[in-house]
Amino acid sequence: MLSAETLAYAKSKIRDIPDFPTPGILFKDITPLLADPRAFHIVLDSIAERFIGEHVDAIVGVEARGFIFGGALAARLNASFVPARKPGKLPAKSDRVSYKTEYSEATLEMHEQSIRRGSRVLVVDDVLATGGTAKASADLVATQGGEVVAYTFVIELSFLKGRAVLAPGRVESVITY
Ligand code: AMP
């Protein structure tokens, strides 16, 4: 377990941007955290230590910020990395799902057969807001016969109650507001 001071350091590198991308949204900008090697390490350590020995086969990272953390975690946990992408980006035949986010309607796609049947999967994104994106990713995993072991986030906006949308799934977040 990382100390409260260590986590506070990582939290200090998250910047609030009011009214982005639309009025009323307080955007949690992780670019200062990514620019700070210590803070980036802290976040990766905090997530990775929760899953060491849990036999994670694959990590599904959600475009675009989920790729950054998901890719680094896949390397640490010796798991495959599978991108869940916005429509029209993936070159091969894909499964697709549509859903609602905190501020928009969206669709996600994943290449067909990118999750082996019975695989243990971690869904990774930067922010848990209403939970729609993570739930949609889990639906894609389920379509392909994978089992979602947990949902993991750098930031959880707990007042939006995304955790309830993902219940009874396991939710792990590093920093909660
Ligand atoms: P949701 O589906 O509502 O849980 O929204 C999660 C997705 O939207 C994630 O991919 C986040 O990157 C993004 N997102 C939602 N709300 C915010 C926010 N306040 N700050 C930064 N990113 C957000």
Side-chain angles (χ1 to χ4, degrees):
M1 269 282 276
L2 300 174
S3 72
E5 280 102 335
T6 304
L7 288 172
Y9 180 80
K11 191 172 183 176
S12 75
K13 300 296 170 187
I14 293 165
R15 176 167 60 176
D16 285 349
I17 310 279
D19 301 317
F20 183 87
T22 54
I25 299 292
L26 185 63
F27 192 86
K28 295 293 181 189
D29 177 21
I30 52 145
T31 59
L33 184 147
L34 297 175
D36 186 299
R38 181 174 170 225
F40 194 10
H41 257 278
I42 289 168
V43 165
L44 294 173
D45 286 348
S46 173
I47 299 174
E49 70 178 13
R50 303 174 204 214
F51 296 100
I52 286 164
E54 297 230 4
H55 307 290
V56 173
D57 297 307
I59 291 188
V60 169
V62 186
E63 185 167 0
R65 295 181 295 277
F67 292 177
I68 301 166
F69 298 99
L73 279 170
R76 285 196 177 198
L77 293 173
N78 202 26
S80 331
F81 178 76
V82 177
R85 298 210 63 178
K86 296 184 175 145
K89 302 274 191 178
L90 287 169
K93 226 171 154 214
S94 300
D95 291 315
R96 90 183 341 230
V97 63
S98 292
Y99 66 99
K100 267 191 185 338
T101 73
E102 189 186 1
Y103 44 71
S104 64
E105 280 278 335
T107 298
L108 277 183
E109 295 183 345
M110 206 162 76
H111 271 152
E112 281 182 1
Q113 297 174 354
S114 47
I115 303 285
R116 255 185 302 109
R117 204 151 273 285
S119 289
R120 290 169 56 78
V121 178
L122 217 55
V123 172
V124 176
D125 204 355
D126 65 334
V127 173
L128 170 61
T130 64
T133 307
K135 179 72 176 57
S137 310
D139 289 347
L140 287 170
V141 171
T143 299
Q144 299 195 1
E147 177 204 344
V148 175
V149 174
Y151 302 88
T152 72
F153 306 93
V154 179
I155 298 165
E156 177 175 354
L157 304 178
S158 58
F159 52 91
L160 292 172
K161 303 195 181 343
R163 198 174 265 267
V165 170
L166 304 178
R170 175 177 169 195
V171 176
E172 298 283 350
S173 39
V174 179
I175 293 158
T176 303
Y177 293 88

